[in-house]
Amino acid sequence: DVKVTQSSRYLVKRTGEKVFLECVQDMDHENMFWYRQDPGLGLRLIYFSYDVKMKEKGDIPEGYSVSREKKERFSLILESASTNQTSMYLCASTTYGATNEKLFFGSGTQLSVL
Amino acid sequence: GESVGLHLPTLSVQEGDNSIINCAYSNSASDYFIWYKQESGKGPQFIIDIRSNMDKRQGQRVTVLLNKTVKHLSLQIAATQPGDSAVYFCAELTGGGNKLTFGTGTQLKVEL
């Protein structure tokens, strides 16, 4: 089975701190994604990556950056955390193909910014 | 703008009954749809998918129906069990697109 591992289940940070959320997948997937999940808003795409050192902005990239130095690892960075970035963050991966668009998700990181 | 939405935020059903979760989409160019299940404390998990050239697809205890005329998608769960309690999301992929757009989710509660 595909495994997508997020390094922290719960994280509490202070306003202005630099925050790193790490995600690792073990299935050699090309594509990796970062979503945030908020009640009533569903899942919104922050950034995604199709290959090492490649990144693309999603729907809500403001206040975030990403890093993909290795194929299996995709990091989400909050340069200066703010309270409105308190949310559940979900990492996902998939291999790209015409008939396979299924995303495999990690268990999520609940980030609280105080 | 384009949107994917769900009609009901919460659905309560009795154990053993069938559940129907609905989803409306507005992008007529969408050609691929997926249903995800998210249990408490976990990430979303793939349930079933359907392409726009199909009207119906069946899995184990689940059926997805697609009505392109009214841009409506539904997930039917047969003989609902307590383990089906979760939030269910529909998602759509537009032709040529590389990312999915998710709906806001429906909470399914199974009453014993």
Side-chain angles (χ1 to χ4, degrees), chain B residues 6 15 18 27 30 37 41 44 58 77 82 94-95 102 104 109:
Chain B
L6 294 171
E15 182 180 5
N18 296 334
N27 188 345
S30 295
K37 173 185 180 183
Q58 288 185 292
I77 304 173
T94 303
F102 287 83
T104 54
K109 296 183 178 179

Side-chain angles (χ1 to χ4, degrees), chain A residues 1-5 23-32 72 91-95 100 102-107, chain B residues 44-46:
Chain A
D1 283 351
V2 174
K3 191 167 185 181
V4 179
T5 303
C23 176
V24 177
Q25 48 92 6
D26 65 359
M27 281 299 291
D28 202 35
H29 283 168
E30 293 82 8
N31 304 338
M32 297 188 74
E72 68 271 18
C91 175
S93 74
T94 186
T95 187
N100 183 5
K102 296 187 268 290
L103 288 171
F104 295 89
F105 283 89
S107 296
Chain B
Q45 288 184 299
F46 171 88

Side-chain angles (χ1 to χ4, degrees), chain A residues 39-98:
Chain A
L41 296 177
L43 278 72
R44 293 180 292 167
L45 182 63
I46 305 171
Y47 266 98
F48 57 105
S49 169
Y50 291 136
D51 202 350
V52 175
K53 297 194 186 294
M54 284 186 59
K55 60 183 180 182
E56 299 269 354
K57 292 181 179 179
D59 299 319
I60 52 164
E62 295 79 19
Y64 303 95
S65 63
V66 290
S67 173
R68 186 131 183 237
E69 296 297 319
K70 294 184 178 181
K71 190 175 185 179
E72 68 271 18
R73 186 180 296 269
F74 192 34
S75 303
L76 180 68
I77 304 158
L78 287 66
E79 293 291 340
S80 179
S82 63
T83 55
N84 63 13
Q85 291 179 310
T86 292
S87 186
M88 170 69 79
Y89 289 88
L90 290 163
C91 175
S93 74
T94 186
T95 187
Y96 187 79

Side-chain angles (χ1 to χ4, degrees), chain A residues 9 33 35 37-38 40-45 48 50 57-59 88 90 96-108, chain B residues 32 34 36 38-49 51 57 87 89 91 93 96-105:
Chain A
R9 184 72 182 91
F33 304 78
Y35 289 87
Q37 182 177 21
D38 300 287
L41 296 177
L43 278 72
R44 293 180 292 167
L45 182 63
F48 57 105
Y50 291 136
K57 292 181 179 179
D59 299 319
M88 170 69 79
L90 290 163
Y96 187 79
T99 58
N100 183 5
E101 302 289 349
K102 296 187 268 290
L103 288 171
F104 295 89
F105 283 89
S107 296
Chain B
Y32 181 71
I34 305 178
Y36 285 90
Q38 185 176 23
E39 296 175 272
S40 181
K42 298 183 179 180
Q45 288 184 299
F46 171 88
I47 302 174
I48 192 168
D49 59 357
R51 293 206 173 269
R57 192 167 188 209
V87 176
F89 294 94
L93 183 74
N98 293 310
K99 57 185 175 75
L100 293 171
T101 299
F102 287 83
T104 54

Side-chain angles (χ1 to χ4, degrees), chain B residues 19-44:
Chain B
S19 303
I20 300 176
I21 301 171
N22 296 304
C23 179
Y25 65 96
S26 57
N27 188 345
S28 58
S30 295
D31 58 4
Y32 181 71
F33 304 87
I34 305 178
W35 281 99
Y36 285 90
K37 173 185 180 183
Q38 185 176 23
E39 296 175 272
S40 181
K42 298 183 179 180

